[in-house]
Amino acid sequence: MHFTFSFAVAAASLVPSAFASIYSLSDNHVGKDFLTSFTHETIADPTHGRVNYVSQATALSKNLTFTNSNTLILRGDYKTKISASGPGRDSVRIKSVKSYDHHVTVFDVKHMPEGCGTWPAAWETTENGWPDSGEVDIEQCICCLLPGTNWPDSVNGKGPNQSTLHTNANCNMPASRTQNGVATSNVCDVVASNNVGCSVQSTAPNSFGTSFNANGGGYYAMERMNKLVNVWFWPRNGAVPNDLKSGAKTVDTGKWGTPNAYFPDTSCDLDAHFGSNNIIIDLTFCGDWAGLPAIFNGAGCPGDCATYVNDNPGAFSNAYWWINAVRVYT
Ligand SMILES: *[C@@H]1O[C@H](CO)[C@@H](O)[C@H](O)[C@H]1NC(C)=O
Ligand SMILES: *[C@@H]1O[C@H](CO)[C@@H](O)[C@H](O)[C@H]1NC(C)=O
């Protein structure tokens, strides 16, 4: 009976999907864990944003970083009008102490920063020697997002809800591949692509900004191995795989279905282009991408991005990440 049952289950699971890819839980970052498993980076924003990244002590005392047993909040200051000659609006950028090579990262996010000028990102890289160890942007979103505005997704071919790889030379993606998203650029080399990288825009509803938040957020997952990088998104009320949702001790990405973004190794030796990377979660304002007039004004935001950020603290009350967990499987 037991034998027959297990055999039937095993046989059935072989039929529909590809081979199993089973990973074990390595780090489950929840609530207060983030205060020791991540550091607050007080660096000048490499993307030249109108931001002042503060230390952990400052972030805790100003309540820009808040944790309890099951919650992490990271936010920009929304109380202070700031001087045009000062460094920018206080905000937070955290980086995992550990770095990861082949792995799966699951982001269980309840709310992401939204509002004119906001540029939140959840991503992985090695800052020293960038981009020699590669960069995977799991989710970023620009001006994330005013209700009712139309995103100008034709602007430079850059979209708001996209997954991107950035590498050094000789890494390209095939134009045609099996994924739910839409490839917007296939050259991953930052020099050859003028820092655009190879991007896939999500077509999933509620995958960023106001509609993501109104829907209770959702789950982003990224798998990196020698043969591929995959990125998935499920809205909270979507068909979320049980192992991923429950924070199981093992997950099988072979059963997670077609990813939003699929980056295969056909014209890119992924192990040669990607090293052991840190996880970074940040919120900047304006800067090289979100601050471009075509992007900022194109999203329906008024005037000049930096001036808007300086003068309108109240516009940033929804500029916060609310993260239930970041789980890493190896
Ligand atoms: C700090 O932020 C948290 C999360 O937003 C909130 O629940 C709490 O009331 C805030 N604390 C203070 C002292 O404002
Ligand atoms: C993500 O972007 C695509 C392409 O711009 C769009 O069609 C889709 O609705 C977006 N998803 C959202 C808003 O969640």
Side-chain angles (χ1 to χ4, degrees), residues 20-292:
S21 306
I22 296 175
Y23 297 80
S24 303
L25 185 61
S26 160
D27 294 291
N28 187 14
H29 307 287
V30 177
K32 293 187 186 325
D33 298 340
F34 286 97
L35 301 180
T36 48
S37 58
F38 282 66
T39 56
H40 283 61
E41 293 192 277
T42 53
I43 56 173
D45 178 14
T47 58
H48 312 104
R50 191 76 199 119
V51 73
N52 179 42
Y53 286 132
V54 300
S55 67
Q56 178 168 300
T58 302
L60 289 171
S61 73
K62 292 189 169 176
N63 210 25
L64 302 180
T65 296
F66 168 84
T67 62
N68 62 24
S69 62
N70 57 12
T71 301
L72 168 69
I73 307 272
L74 302 172
R75 68 184 318 146
D77 166 79
Y78 62 99
K79 295 180 176 161
T80 321
K81 199 171 162 179
I82 54 175
S83 151
S85 58
R89 184 160 294 287
D90 285 353
S91 186
V92 177
R93 170 169 165 136
I94 64 171
K95 175 170 98 168
S96 64
V97 173
K98 283 175 80 170
S99 59
Y100 304 94
D101 201 339
H102 295 163
H103 69 289
V104 171
T105 308
V106 174
F107 295 86
D108 176 350
V109 178
K110 207 159 167 177
H111 185 282
M112 67 170 63
E114 60 174 87
C116 279
T118 59
W119 180 0
W123 54 299
E124 300 190 353
T125 196
T126 302
E127 290 166 330
N128 284 341
W130 184 90
D132 288 344
S133 296
E135 172 184 331
V136 182
D137 299 337
I138 293 123
E139 164 64 5
Q140 28 180 5
C141 160
I142 310 302
C143 304
C144 219
L145 249 180
L146 283 180
T149 57
N150 293 314
W151 180 259
D153 56 11
S154 58
V155 178
N156 304 322
K158 295 170 181 173
N161 49 349
Q162 61 184 21
S163 305
T164 307
L165 305 186
H166 296 269
T167 67
N168 56 19
N170 300 318
C171 176
N172 298 296
M173 290 298 136
S176 164
R177 52 203 209 261
T178 305
Q179 56 187 2
N180 289 329
V182 177
T184 55
S185 51
N186 292 320
V187 178
C188 308
D189 173 8
V190 298
V191 175
S193 70
N194 196 17
N195 210 13
V196 169
C198 50
S199 294
V200 176
Q201 207 163 69
S202 172
T203 50
N206 305 323
S207 63
F208 72 95
T210 307
S211 64
F212 174 91
N213 293 335
N215 196 43
Y219 301 82
Y220 278 92
M222 191 278 291
E223 173 181 28
R224 176 154 76 83
M225 51 183 264
N226 58 338
K227 306 297 280 178
L228 57 81
V229 175
N230 279 327
V231 181
W232 291 264
F233 169 73
W234 295 269
R236 191 158 299 284
N237 53 358
V240 189
N242 236 328
D243 53 0
L244 178 148
K245 189 176 188 168
S246 65
K249 290 275 184 278
T250 60
V251 292
D252 182 356
T253 59
K255 296 190 179 141
W256 287 359
T258 304
N260 268 324
Y262 167 56
F263 302 98
D265 71 337
T266 40
S267 305
C268 180
D269 179 348
L270 291 169
D271 275 356
H273 285 89
F274 287 84
S276 190
N277 284 342
N278 303 97
I279 303 165
I280 300 177
I281 303 169
D282 66 53
L283 167 61
T284 185
F285 306 102
C286 309
D288 296 341
W289 191 11
L292 295 174

